[in-house]
């Protein structure tokens, strides 16, 4: 018996190849059989009951056995029976969540402990007095229903707290399948609502999503060898996908995201209806429901959007969008009856769309954040894909990197919601909102998502009923939706060539303004690191300069040296140290300008970037100027995670100056120190194997631009700058961009003699030097 129980811990190979429901059934059989042997037949007045996950028949490797030994209060051998049950389980190492109680004691504890109450709702008799077990179940459920007005808000608070602590199953790289929003616990909460007779049992679609998560959790626990964690780790996803029959880990991630969204949406709409009923006591209210007109064929009833009596989805193709727009304007959900009827009866949208349908879509998007909930409602019953068939290619499609926090379709919804805040700053708010909704639609197709998006929107725009000139603007927005962030963060915005290229690509002030608003909304919807005051200022300055070109003004071009730079380069007569380091705060939160003035010498910029890396300062932009044998280096930096400084605390100029001098005279081995920090990066998990470093030459600027793309590592900028210096190039400006776990750095360089970098052989030599410097020690 004890050997069989050991299989529950996941430390044997007995169930290799058994997955999903078959695995859960096998584990239940093992546990039930062992407990029956231990329990025997102690007679009437006592029962062994499984509760919680074991009660539902859903154990996984390493799960605790949740057991209640219930008795009638008249047995004098309860302690002995309990000991004969618990000790053999403990000896084997099986985890127990156990209690010994009378029915009255169990009911009383459940009244005061929500988790106990929820566990008892799933009570299942293993052995013993059936009448006793049935009585406990009936008493618990009766009290649960009677206490619904008090207990259900407590349940909703528990669901909300789990969401705050664990995030969303649908949008996390490594979701907790049990505790996160849209996870297994949320389905348990839905069944608890049903047990209170205030909601229906979860639908088959929700139960299918639940089973998918249960299957994945079973394999998570198998790989963990029974350790009690339920996170779907990146490192395990290929193995789990193969075990469960998915083609690859991305398909598994897609299924997980879809399941999480189905469950979380169902909880939201169900709890909204239940909460409204609890507030208004609608289950006992008499009289006809009050309806408030919202739009043609659309009304509000009991805090939900419903169809008016005269509404006919079979004759009105725009009704779906009017319902969604009305729900978003009123910031209330679409009622399930209305959704189900629309899903059954709504007509396909004619092509091209009627103007009223397009206007309703724009009205919906213009509501901002409430539009996300309305679009989710349409999506969950298949109406959004019916309106825009291309949506099926991005629906619940994961973006598995730390940079994006949402699936592709949810990112598009969130971008459109964010763009609504800028509709008064552009002259075509309708095109801004449509562009925001569709800018990444190409991610559902193979190849470059921008190229695919241009093709998709080129076909879709006329079907939406847009005139050719508006369709051209929408396609241009999709083609250049990355123009401003890429140009501002990966090119020198002081270079006239950069400004002219942006103005030429956008083509008009209208499109440039639309791209400006789209860029901010897109970045804010991407993730917390994708938008910052620094990025906002760079893009704003770039747009202002590009707009000047449209007005026929001269492209703003800063002088070779500003008055301040000349002052810094001129060493004062009374200066006793020819190395000067200043630290100046920038208007962007937590950022500083580092100014270094030193004798001009090869390797100065590389040494400076290395010292900044050792100080855990993240360089965003660096430039170098020289005159009269002296060099001026300026770098915009931000404090990185792990710094010993307090947030917002400026780095010490004296320490930076001392470290720089020691780096240049050879007493501080920057490379060795940086190599010692490599281990800190080694534990960072990636969604996929990183692409090899790449070196690209760009001749569109006034100097040669060497763009280097590589996985982020400790001191990666130092390695790049030093390699360019070793290759005989002077770095004039370095533009640093970090995208998730990768960097895309652009270096404006010239040859030592002052010329551009030309010739295939010379460029191959430079690229080889850089790639050699970026090769990690383990690589051949």
């Amino acid at each position: 018996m004890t050997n069989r129980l050991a299989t529950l811990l996941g430390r044997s190979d007995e169930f290799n190849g058994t997955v999903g429901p078959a695995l859960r059934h096998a584990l239940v059989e093992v546990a039930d059989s062992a407990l029956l042997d231990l329990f025997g037949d102690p007679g009437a007045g006592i029962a062994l009951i499984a509760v919680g996950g074991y009660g539902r028949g859903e154990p996984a490797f390493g799960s605790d056995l949740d057991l209640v030994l219930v008795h009638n209060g008249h047995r004098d051998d309860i302690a002995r029976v309990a000991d004969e049950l618990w000790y053999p389980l403990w000896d084997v190492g099986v985890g127990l969540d156990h209690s010994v109680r009378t029915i009255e004691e169990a009911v009383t504890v459940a009244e005061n402990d929500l988790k106990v109450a929820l566990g008892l709702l799933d009570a299942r008799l293993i052995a013993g007095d059936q009448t006793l077990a049935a009585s406990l179940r009936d008493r618990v459920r009766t009290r649960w229903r009677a206490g619904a007005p008090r207990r259900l808000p407590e349940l909703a608070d528990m669901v909300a707290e789990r969401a705050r602590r664990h995030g969303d199953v649908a949008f996390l790289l490594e979701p907790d399948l049990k505790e996160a929003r849209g996870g297994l616990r949320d389905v348990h909460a839905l069944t608890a609502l049903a047990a209170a007779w205030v909601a229906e049992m979860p639908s088959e679609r929700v139960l299918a999503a639940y089973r998918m998560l249960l299957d994945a959790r079973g394999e998570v626990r198998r790989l963990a060898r029974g350790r009690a964690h339920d996170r779907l780790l990146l490192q395990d996803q290929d193995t789990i996908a193969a075990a469960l029959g998915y083609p690859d880990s991305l398909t598994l991630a897609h299924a997980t995201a879809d399941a999480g969204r189905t469950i979380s949406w169902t909880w939201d709409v169900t709890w909204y209806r239940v909460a409204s009923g609890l507030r208004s006591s609608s289950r006992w209210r008499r009289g006809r429901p009050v309806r408030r007109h919202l739009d043609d064929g659309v009304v509000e009833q009991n805090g939900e959007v419903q169809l008016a009596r005269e509404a006919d989805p079979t004759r009105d193709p725009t009704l779906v969008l009017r319902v969604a727009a009305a729900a978003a304007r009123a910031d209330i959900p679409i009622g399930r009856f209305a959704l189900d009827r629309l899903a059954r009866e709504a007509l396909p949208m004619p092509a091209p769309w009627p103007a009223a349908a397009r206007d309703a879509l724009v009205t919906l998007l213009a509501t901002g954040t409430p539009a996300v909930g309305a679009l989710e409602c349409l999506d969950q019953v298949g109406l959004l894909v019916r309106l825009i068939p291309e949506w099926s290619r991005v629906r619940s499609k994961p973006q598995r990197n730390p940079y994006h926090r949402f699936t592709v379709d949810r990112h598009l919804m969130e971008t459109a919601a964010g763009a609504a805040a800028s509709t008064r700053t552009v002259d075509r708010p309708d095109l801004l909102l449509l562009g925001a909704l569709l800018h990444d639609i190409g991610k559902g197709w193979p190849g470059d998502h921008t190229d695919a998006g241009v093709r998709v929107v080129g076909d879709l725009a006329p079907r939406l009923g847009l005139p050719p000139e508006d369709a051209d603007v929408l396609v241009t927005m999709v083609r250049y939706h990355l123009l401003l962030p890429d140009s501002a963060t990966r090119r020198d915005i002081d270079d006239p060539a950069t400004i002219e290229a942006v103005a030429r690509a956008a083509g008009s002030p209208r499109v440039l303004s639309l791209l400006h608003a789209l860029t901010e909304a897109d970045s804010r919807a991407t993730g917390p690191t994708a938008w910052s005051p620094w990025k906002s200022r760079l893009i704003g300055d770039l747009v202002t300069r590009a707009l000047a070109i449209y007005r026929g003004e001269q492209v703003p071009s800063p002088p070779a040296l500003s008055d301040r730079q000349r002052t810094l380069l001129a060493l004062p007569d009374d200066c006793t140290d020819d190395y000067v380091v200043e630290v100046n705060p920038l208007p962007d939160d937590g950022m500083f300008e580092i100014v270094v003035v030193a004798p001009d010498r090869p390797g100065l910029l590389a040494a400076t970037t290395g010292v900044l890396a050792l100080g855990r300062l993240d360089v965003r932009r660096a430039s170098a100027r020289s005159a009269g044998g002296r060099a001026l280096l300026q770098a915009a930096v931000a404090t990185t995670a792990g710094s010993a400084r307090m947030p917002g605390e400026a780095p010490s100029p004296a320490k930076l100056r001392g470290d720089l001098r020691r780096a240049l005279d050879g007493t501080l081995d920057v490379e060795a120190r940086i190599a010692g920090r490599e281990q800190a990066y080694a534990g960072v998990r990636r969604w996929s194997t990183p692409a090899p470093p790449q070196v690209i030459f760009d001749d569109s600027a006034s100097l040669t631009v060497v763009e280097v793309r590589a996985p982020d590592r400790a001191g990666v900028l130092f390695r790049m700058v030093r390699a360019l210096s070793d290759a005989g190039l002077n770095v004039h400006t370095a533009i640093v961009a970090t995208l998730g776990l990768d960097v895309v750095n652009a270096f404006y360089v010239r040859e030592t003699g002052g010329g551009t970098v030309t010739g295939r052989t010379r460029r191959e030599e430079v690229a080889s030097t850089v790639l050699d410097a970026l090769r990690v020690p383990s690589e051949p």
Side-chain angles (χ1 to χ4, degrees):
M1 183 270 294
T2 56
N3 290 335
R4 288 283 287 163
L5 274 175
T7 63
L8 297 175
L9 304 175
R11 297 171 187 167
S12 76
D13 298 329
E14 180 176 350
F15 295 130
N16 279 357
T18 305
V19 300
L23 175 61
R24 294 190 288 276
H25 180 73
L27 293 176
V28 168
E29 279 195 335
V30 168
D32 283 2
S33 175
L35 289 170
L36 284 169
D37 289 344
L38 291 171
F39 192 61
D41 183 13
I46 187 170
L48 181 61
I49 294 175
V51 298
Y54 181 35
R56 291 187 298 271
E58 298 167 355
F61 289 119
S63 294
D64 288 352
L65 296 182
D66 298 333
L67 298 169
V68 180
L69 190 60
V70 181
H71 61 98
N72 60 10
H74 303 302
R75 300 278 302 236
D76 57 7
D77 59 349
I78 293 299
R80 177 187 60 78
V81 173
D83 288 346
E84 291 176 353
L85 275 171
W86 310 148
Y87 278 98
L89 297 173
W90 284 328
D91 290 343
V92 177
V94 173
L96 281 179
D97 188 345
H98 63 288
S99 59
V100 180
R101 294 187 176 112
T102 64
I103 291 179
E104 193 60 40
E105 289 170 343
V107 171
T108 299
V109 173
E111 280 289 301
N112 297 298
D113 190 320
L114 181 60
K115 291 183 178 180
V116 171
L118 294 174
L120 286 171
L121 290 176
D122 296 311
R124 175 176 64 89
L125 176 66
I126 296 175
D129 192 325
Q130 295 185 19
T131 302
L132 197 67
S135 177
L136 173 65
R137 182 179 174 88
D138 290 345
R139 288 278 304 277
V140 168
R141 287 183 168 256
T142 298
R143 296 291 288 270
W144 178 252
R145 291 192 294 271
R150 175 177 63 88
R151 305 309 300 273
L152 298 187
E154 186 182 355
L155 173 65
D157 288 343
M158 180 183 290
V159 172
E161 177 59 24
R162 280 202 310 271
R164 283 190 293 270
R165 291 179 57 194
H166 298 283
D168 286 69
V169 165
F171 308 131
L172 289 170
L173 279 170
E174 297 181 326
D176 186 311
L177 301 178
K178 187 175 183 180
E179 302 289 345
R181 171 175 158 81
L184 300 172
R185 292 278 196 203
D186 285 3
V187 180
H188 305 160
L190 287 166
T191 59
L193 296 181
W197 293 358
V198 297
E200 298 177 351
M201 284 295 293
S203 68
E204 177 53 35
R205 183 161 177 263
V206 173
L207 294 178
Y210 180 69
R211 290 191 291 269
M212 183 271 148
L213 297 183
L214 274 177
D215 293 349
R217 182 202 180 212
E219 298 311 299
V220 167
R221 286 295 187 94
R222 188 199 303 273
L223 291 175
R225 303 294 290 177
R227 285 183 290 109
H229 88 80
D230 299 300
R231 290 180 63 206
L232 184 59
L233 300 177
L234 292 175
Q235 65 197 33
D236 296 337
Q237 292 184 19
D238 286 325
T239 303
I240 292 173
L244 296 178
Y246 292 98
D248 50 45
S249 58
L250 284 174
T251 309
L252 170 67
H254 191 294
T256 303
D258 196 43
R261 289 179 67 181
T262 296
I263 293 169
S264 60
W265 176 79
T266 303
W267 167 261
D268 287 345
V269 297
T270 304
W271 173 246
Y272 182 91
R273 188 179 305 116
V274 169
S276 297
L278 292 175
R279 287 192 298 268
S280 62
S281 300
S282 59
R283 286 190 294 164
W284 299 279
R285 189 172 56 202
R286 296 292 182 266
R288 300 177 63 182
V290 177
R291 294 187 167 209
R292 179 169 70 94
H293 175 80
L294 296 177
D295 203 337
D296 185 17
V298 187
V299 298
E300 176 190 351
Q301 178 180 322
N302 294 335
E304 294 181 324
V305 169
Q306 298 288 356
L307 301 183
R309 294 184 183 89
E310 70 276 9
D312 186 355
T314 66
R315 296 177 177 272
D316 187 353
T318 67
L319 181 60
V320 170
L321 288 170
R322 289 205 309 278
V323 166
R329 285 198 308 269
D331 199 11
I332 56 177
I334 305 172
R336 193 57 193 262
F337 179 80
L339 272 177
D340 289 344
R341 187 178 173 199
L342 289 171
R344 289 194 312 270
E345 302 177 15
L347 285 175
M349 189 67 73
W353 283 23
R358 192 171 60 256
D359 290 345
L361 176 59
V362 170
T363 299
L364 165 62
L365 299 177
T367 62
T369 300
V372 175
L375 288 167
E376 279 281 356
C377 284
L378 299 186
D379 177 69
Q380 288 295 326
V381 296
L383 286 167
L384 190 51
V385 168
R386 199 181 306 178
L387 291 167
I388 306 175
E390 294 84 352
W391 199 261
S392 64
R393 301 290 292 266
V394 297
R395 187 178 183 279
S396 293
K397 184 177 179 62
Q399 303 190 85
R400 291 310 204 193
N401 58 64
Y403 199 55
H404 282 88
R405 57 179 168 175
F406 293 123
T407 54
V408 176
D409 56 339
R410 181 59 179 267
H411 169 73
L412 293 174
M413 295 178 189
E414 294 283 347
T415 301
S422 300
T423 52
R424 294 186 180 182
T425 67
V426 296
D427 67 347
R428 287 300 302 270
D430 56 334
L431 295 179
L432 169 62
L433 294 169
L434 292 174
L437 185 67
L438 300 172
H439 73 281
D440 271 348
I441 195 79
K443 288 185 175 180
W445 279 259
D448 181 84
H449 83 278
T450 298
D451 293 340
V454 166
R455 294 191 297 271
V456 171
V457 175
D459 293 335
L460 177 57
R463 199 165 72 245
L464 295 177
L466 291 172
E469 58 274 18
D470 288 352
D472 288 345
V473 171
L474 195 61
V475 168
T476 302
M477 291 176 67
V478 174
R479 177 178 285 116
Y480 292 118
H481 72 275
L482 295 176
L483 173 68
L484 293 180
D486 282 357
S487 299
T489 62
R490 291 156 61 173
R491 290 296 182 266
D492 184 359
I493 65 171
D494 290 334
D495 187 344
T498 300
I499 303 167
E500 290 171 352
V502 166
R504 184 169 55 252
S508 69
R510 165 178 288 172
V511 173
L512 184 61
S513 296
L514 289 170
L515 290 175
H516 190 188
L518 173 59
T519 296
E520 179 172 353
D522 184 15
S523 298
R524 290 186 182 277
T526 295
T529 64
W531 190 253
S532 65
W534 166 256
K535 187 174 181 180
S536 175
R537 184 158 59 85
L538 286 178
I539 291 175
D541 289 348
L542 177 57
V543 169
T544 298
R545 296 171 186 183
L547 287 172
I549 292 180
Y550 297 131
R551 295 192 296 268
E553 301 172 3
Q554 184 176 1
V555 179
S557 179
L561 287 174
S562 67
D563 292 342
R564 177 171 178 252
Q565 289 170 333
R566 288 193 184 92
T567 301
L568 288 168
L569 280 168
L571 185 66
D573 294 337
D574 58 351
C575 184
T576 59
D577 191 342
D578 55 358
Y579 284 84
V580 177
V581 175
E582 292 183 1
V583 176
N584 305 310
L586 288 172
D588 311 289
D589 290 343
M591 292 192 65
F592 301 92
E593 179 197 42
I594 307 295
V595 178
V596 175
V597 183
D600 195 7
R601 57 179 289 181
L604 177 60
L605 181 58
T608 303
T609 56
V611 166
L612 294 176
L614 292 179
R616 296 189 182 272
L617 295 169
D618 184 10
V619 179
R620 304 290 177 82
R621 175 189 173 98
S623 63
R625 305 286 194 277
S626 61
R630 293 180 61 73
L632 168 67
L633 308 182
Q634 292 170 280
V637 304
T639 302
T640 64
S643 170
R645 290 180 296 276
M646 297 292 291
E649 181 183 352
S652 165
K655 185 176 189 317
L656 291 176
R657 183 173 58 250
D659 287 347
L660 179 59
R661 296 196 68 144
R662 292 193 297 123
L664 290 169
D665 66 23
T667 58
L668 172 62
D669 191 339
V670 174
E671 183 172 12
R673 290 278 299 276
I674 287 176
R677 289 180 48 203
E678 291 282 2
Q679 192 61 36
Y681 279 70
V684 176
R685 288 190 292 267
R686 302 183 63 105
W687 172 247
S688 59
T689 302
Q694 186 179 16
V695 178
I696 301 169
F697 290 86
D698 180 1
D699 296 314
S700 63
S702 54
L703 301 178
T704 301
V705 178
V706 181
E707 184 174 283
V708 186
R709 305 179 181 187
D712 197 6
R713 296 165 57 195
V716 67
L717 177 61
F718 159 72
R719 298 178 190 277
M720 293 177 182
V721 174
R722 188 189 60 178
L724 292 170
S725 177
D726 290 345
L729 299 178
N730 289 330
V731 178
H732 181 272
T733 303
I735 309 295
V736 181
T738 303
L739 301 177
L741 297 178
D742 299 299
V743 295
V744 182
N745 296 345
F747 302 94
Y748 285 68
V749 302
R750 57 166 58 95
E751 297 281 10
T752 304
T756 57
V757 184
T758 59
R760 178 178 178 181
T761 301
R762 174 60 174 146
R763 291 188 172 190
E764 288 178 349
E765 176 188 348
V766 171
S768 178
T769 302
V770 173
L771 294 176
D772 285 345
L774 295 176
R775 186 171 291 117
V776 297
S778 60
E779 292 178 348

